[in-house]
Each structure stands twice: as structure tokens, then as C-alpha cells.
């Protein structure tokens, strides 16, 4: 059973935990993370979710994502999720999220990184990821139109690409 820390609407810890998928009470929120790895050519590393996934099976998504476990920071969760899903270590150092998106159940921290990742070194977590590859923004927007990519707002995906090289972006 995966446990998560609970926060209030201001992201202050409530000092309680809950099961990740259990309904949360009013005023209780959790944190999730997304990792967006861009290469030096400006392409985004994307992953195709496994067909066994309960939500968005076989859809393409950003590099890695997942829930923040109880006692873990969002940076630690981002590093763990990337390593678990792709089998590649990712050291975010002191990087803070480039942006946070609020959703009904909590806070979603997006980490933007530039790394020329060798995809032949990837060891995919089969329960989570079917395949990975690089894609540029026009290709991803086309995938959204075709229903092949998770239906993030196109403007948000463009924003992620626009955020490359700005505050909160790591090239180390």
C-alpha cells in the first residue's frame, strides 16, 4: 500500500498520511511529479504508457511521472520515478520544480531538465512503460490531436517547451 503525505490548500503539511488512491477528505491534498527531459536539440523524451495502466493505457506522456511517497520530497520522487520507469539515474541536485499545476487532488510539480540521455541504456519498467523516444513540439501536438498523447492543453505543452533554458531549468 502506497502512502502519501497530506497537505492543506496552501501546501502546508497536515502531519497525516493516507493511502495514495483512497479518497481524500475536504481540504486534504497530495503531491505528484512530472519529469520533462529535453535533449540538446530541444526534443522532449516521451514515454508510451504500458497497456496495463489503469489510466491512459498506451497513451504517450512526458518523460516520467508519479506520486510522491510519504516522507519524500518532490525532487526525490522525480529522481525515483525516472530511475524506476526508465532505469536511468537522474540527479536533480538542488533543482526546484519549474512550475506547479494545481489539480483537484493536489499539487503537480514539473521538473524540466536538459540531458542527452542514451536511450539504448534505458531499462523500462514493463508495468509502467512500453517504449520511449524523442519528439519535438509539433510532433507531440499532432499526437494530442490524434488522441495518442495524454490530453494536456496544447498551450501547456508549448509552455513546457518555452520554459527550456529559463528559471528552474537544469542543464547539469
Amino acid at each position: 500500500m502506497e502512502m502519501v503525505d497530506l497537505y492543506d490548500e496552501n501546501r502546508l503539511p497536515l502531519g497525516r498520511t493516507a493511502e495514495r488512491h483512497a479518497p481524500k477528505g475536504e481540504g486534504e491534498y497530495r503531491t505528484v511529479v512530472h519529469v520533462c527531459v529535453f535533449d540538446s536539440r530541444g526534443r522532449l523524451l516521451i514515454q508510451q504508457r504500458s497497456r496495463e495502466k489503469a489510466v491512459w493505457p498506451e497513451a504517450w506522456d512526458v518523460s516520467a511521472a508519479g506520486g510522491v511517497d510519504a516522507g519524500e520530497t518532490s525532487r526525490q520522487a522525480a529522481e525515483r520515478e525516472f530511475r524506476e520507469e526508465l532505469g536511468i539515474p537522474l540527479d536533480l541536485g538542488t533543482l526546484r520544480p519549474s512550475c506547479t499545476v494545481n489539480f483537484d487532488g493536489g499539487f503537480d510539480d514539473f521538473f524540466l531538465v536538459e540531458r542527452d540521455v542514451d536511450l539504448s541504456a534505458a531499462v523500462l519498467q514493463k508495468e509502467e512503460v512500453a517504449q520511449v523516444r524523442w519528439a519535438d513540439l509539433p510532433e507531440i501536438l499532432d499526437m494530442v490531436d490524434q488522441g495518442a498523447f495524454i490530453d494536456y492543453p496544447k498551450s501547456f505543452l508549448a509552455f513546457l517547451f518555452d520554459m527550456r533554458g529559463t528559471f528552474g531549468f537544469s542543464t547539469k
Side-chain angles (χ1 to χ4, degrees), residues 125-168:
Q125 183 181 22
K126 296 298 181 195
E127 308 81 33
E128 299 276 338
V129 181
Q131 60 181 317
V132 294
R133 66 185 183 87
W134 296 103
D136 60 20
L137 180 59
E139 183 178 7
I140 291 171
L141 296 179
D142 188 50
M143 293 170 78
V144 171
D145 286 339
Q146 296 173 19
F149 205 92
I150 290 180
D151 69 347
Y152 298 102
K154 289 181 178 181
S155 59
F156 182 70
L157 292 166
F159 170 76
L160 294 175
F161 274 80
D162 286 347
M163 288 292 291
R164 293 182 349 262
T166 63
F167 176 77

Side-chain angles (χ1 to χ4, degrees), residues 90-147:
L90 180 67
D91 180 3
L92 296 175
T94 60
L95 183 68
R96 294 187 297 154
S98 296
C99 67
T100 299
V101 176
N102 294 324
F103 66 98
D104 286 343
F107 310 96
D108 190 346
D109 290 338
F110 280 77
F111 289 86
L112 306 183
V113 181
E114 182 179 296
R115 298 281 192 308
D116 285 319
V117 174
D118 177 7
L119 298 186
S120 68
V123 178
L124 306 181
Q125 183 181 22
K126 296 298 181 195
E127 308 81 33
E128 299 276 338
V129 181
Q131 60 181 317
V132 294
R133 66 185 183 87
W134 296 103
D136 60 20
L137 180 59
E139 183 178 7
I140 291 171
L141 296 179
D142 188 50
M143 293 170 78
V144 171
D145 286 339
Q146 296 173 19

